[in-house]
């Protein structure tokens, strides 16, 4: 049976959940998908790194205690050695799930670049490299005959990027708009129930929705990166975060929420990108009080939704989880499935 050997760069909530999926469902998935998954390298700021080309015992990894590291393990070290592991791992796919850096995308961009240049495909949920360098990284992947996939960079495992690229083929998408941050949507909902912003953010952190630094969630910069990704991937734009005006939910007060509720409206953080009459892409992130009849007004909790305005089909909306460890880990699996399918696709004949 075919097999993909995987290196996990970063072992926080998402990659740990991915490893758990491989551990718990690997056999069933292999039967269903026709290929096996094996984890051959893990790096982590706290645990250090381990490389074992015959497959790491995941049960032993899950059993590690708070102060344990990989020092003393076969192929193990107390330090992450990300660059070394990415270059030397026997994995054919590197899963990059370190933290999102919205300013310069590092160290994620370097991790992805190094992996692609050393002939490994990369899947990531890290928005930094995708929003700030997808053009360059896709070119490197093509040059080296490998794949760069990032479905989980927008709306976790809910299909958005591949859905638009494959299922909406033949349509012209003129606008994309949605609720793209689970934390802020959850927080706005809890504020409707009377919680303070801080208490609601703390809950969202507990539930694994929020970024390591939740100011990215409530300040709007998380959505800003996702709007860049949607605009570049779906509208064929070439924009950066600086091209997206950005206002988060920090300024939405309990009084605003009460006033909207009295009018039957709900505050939502809306990210959008559209082509104007000149063909230029106009993109923004801002809180909006939506009338109850608006299709996005009923999207609650950490659920996200994105609407595509199309020429032949009108508006198509996809809704589903936008955050969460397992939900985001599923995006990694879906990318690996897509890579495997692309590797087995018939070779195109002709010019
Ligand atoms: N913190 C993000 C959210 C996670 O709340 O939506 C997914 O990017």
């Amino acid at each position: 049976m075919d097999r993909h050997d995987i290196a996990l760069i970063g072992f926080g909530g998402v990659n740990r959940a991915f490893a758990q999926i491989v551990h718990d469902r690997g056999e069933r998935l292999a039967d269903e998908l026709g290929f096996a998954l094996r984890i051959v390298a893990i790096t982590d700021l706290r645990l250090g790194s381990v490389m074992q080309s015959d497959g790491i015992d995941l049960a032993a990894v899950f059993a590690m205690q708070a102060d344990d590291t990989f020092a003393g393990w076969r192929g193990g070290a107390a330090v992450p050695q990300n660059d070394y592991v990415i270059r030397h791992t026997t994995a054919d796919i590197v899963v990059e799930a370190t933290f999102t850096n919205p300013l310069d995308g590092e160290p994620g961009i370097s991790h992805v670049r190094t992996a692609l240049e050393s002939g490994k495909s990369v899947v990531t949920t890290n928005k930094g490299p995708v929003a700030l360098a997808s053009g360059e990284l896709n070119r490197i992947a093509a040059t080296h005959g490998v794949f760069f996939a990032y479905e989980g960079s927008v709306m976790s495992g809910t299909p958005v990027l591949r859905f638009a690229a494959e299922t909406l083929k033949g349509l012209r998408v003129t606008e994309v708009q949605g609720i793209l941050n689970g934390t802020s949507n959850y927080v706005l909902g809890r504020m409707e129930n009377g919680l303070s912003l801080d208490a609601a953010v703390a809950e969202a952190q507990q539930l694994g929705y929020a970024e390591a630094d939740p100011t990215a969630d409530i300040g709007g910069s998380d959505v800003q990166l996702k709007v860049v990704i949607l605009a570049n991937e779906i509208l064929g734009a070439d924009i950066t975060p600086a091209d997206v005006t950005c206002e988060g939910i920090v300024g939405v007060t309990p009084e605003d929420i009460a006033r909207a509720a009295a009018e039957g409206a709900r505050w939502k953080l809306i990210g959008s990108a559209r082509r104007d009459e000149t063909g230029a892409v106009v993109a923004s992130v801002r809180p909006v009080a939506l009338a109850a009849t608006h299709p996005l007004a009923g999207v609650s909790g950490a659920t996200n939704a994105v609407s595509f305005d199309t020429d032949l089909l009108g508006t198509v909306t996809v809704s589903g989880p936008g955050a969460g460890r397992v939900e985001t880990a599923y995006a990694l699996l879906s990318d690996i499935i897509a890579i495997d399918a692309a590797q087995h696709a018939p070779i195109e004949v002709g010019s």
Side-chain angles (χ1 to χ4, degrees):
M1 176 181 285
D2 284 354
R3 187 185 65 227
H4 290 291
D5 282 352
I6 309 288
L8 302 179
I9 305 305
F11 202 61
V14 172
N15 263 352
R16 192 173 278 268
F18 177 73
Q20 196 77 53
I21 291 172
V22 172
H23 178 260
D24 297 349
R25 299 176 181 228
E27 278 183 32
R28 205 206 77 196
L29 285 169
D31 285 346
E32 184 185 328
L33 302 172
F35 62 84
L37 291 168
R38 184 167 75 170
I39 310 290
V40 296
I42 298 174
T43 73
D44 182 67
L45 270 177
R46 194 175 58 75
L47 301 175
S49 61
V50 59
M51 282 199 285
Q52 294 180 356
S53 59
D54 53 347
I56 295 166
D57 176 357
L58 294 175
V61 176
F62 299 139
M64 289 172 82
Q65 302 298 307
D67 294 339
D68 289 348
T69 74
F70 291 124
W73 286 44
R74 177 168 55 88
V79 285
Q81 313 185 101
N82 287 324
D83 189 68
Y84 180 85
V85 171
I86 292 167
R87 282 179 202 280
H88 296 286
T89 175
T90 52
D92 59 300
I93 299 179
V94 170
V95 177
E96 212 286 345
T98 63
F99 69 99
T100 290
N101 175 341
L103 300 177
D104 65 6
E106 294 294 358
I109 291 177
S110 295
H111 293 161
V112 176
R113 189 187 289 120
T114 302
L116 297 172
E117 286 175 346
S118 50
K120 289 142 196 159
S121 292
V122 176
V123 306
T124 190
T125 58
N126 187 336
K127 294 168 284 277
V130 186
L132 303 177
S134 66
E136 177 210 340
L137 296 172
N138 276 312
R139 279 191 293 278
I140 296 173
T143 303
H144 289 81
V146 292
F147 297 90
F148 179 39
Y150 35 82
E151 180 66 56
S153 61
V154 181
M155 278 174 66
S156 71
T158 303
V160 174
L161 301 180
R162 202 167 293 114
F163 171 81
E166 293 177 3
T167 313
L168 300 184
K169 251 187 194 149
L171 296 170
R172 186 171 152 75
V173 179
T174 50
E175 177 162 0
V176 188
Q177 71 161 334
I179 293 172
L180 300 168
N181 182 269
T183 301
S184 57
N185 205 48
Y186 178 86
V187 166
L188 287 170
R190 295 297 281 145
M191 287 174 73
E192 286 171 348
N193 296 336
L195 243 67
S196 71
L197 181 100
D198 288 347
V201 169
E203 277 190 7
Q205 282 180 300
Q206 277 279 306
L207 291 163
Y209 304 146
E211 298 296 296
D213 176 0
T215 53
D217 295 300
I218 57 171
S221 64
D222 175 73
V223 180
Q224 194 177 27
L225 294 182
K226 291 168 179 167
V227 168
V228 170
I229 296 169
L230 291 173
N232 291 347
E233 294 287 320
I234 297 170
L235 300 183
D238 184 20
I239 63 171
T240 69
D243 299 312
V244 183
T245 59
C246 181
E247 183 190 341
I249 63 165
V250 199
V252 179
T253 64
E255 293 72 34
D256 292 330
I257 286 180
R259 201 173 315 115
E263 293 165 7
R266 299 185 77 192
W267 283 92
K268 298 289 171 191
L269 185 62
I270 301 294
S272 69
R274 69 178 168 86
R275 285 208 178 270
D276 70 11
E277 10 346 290
T278 68
V281 169
V282 182
S284 67
V285 179
R286 64 193 180 96
V288 182
L290 298 179
T293 49
H294 190 286
L296 296 176
V299 177
S300 296
T303 302
N304 282 192
V306 64
S307 295
F308 306 93
D309 283 355
T310 74
D311 54 352
L312 300 179
L313 201 55
T315 302
V316 179
T317 301
V318 178
S319 170
R325 301 178 183 103
V326 175
E327 294 85 345
T328 309
Y330 170 70
L332 298 170
L333 178 63
S334 78
D335 280 339
I336 292 170
I337 294 168
I339 288 174
D340 184 80
Q343 287 171 336
H344 289 90
I347 297 165
E348 274 183 39
V349 179
S351 53

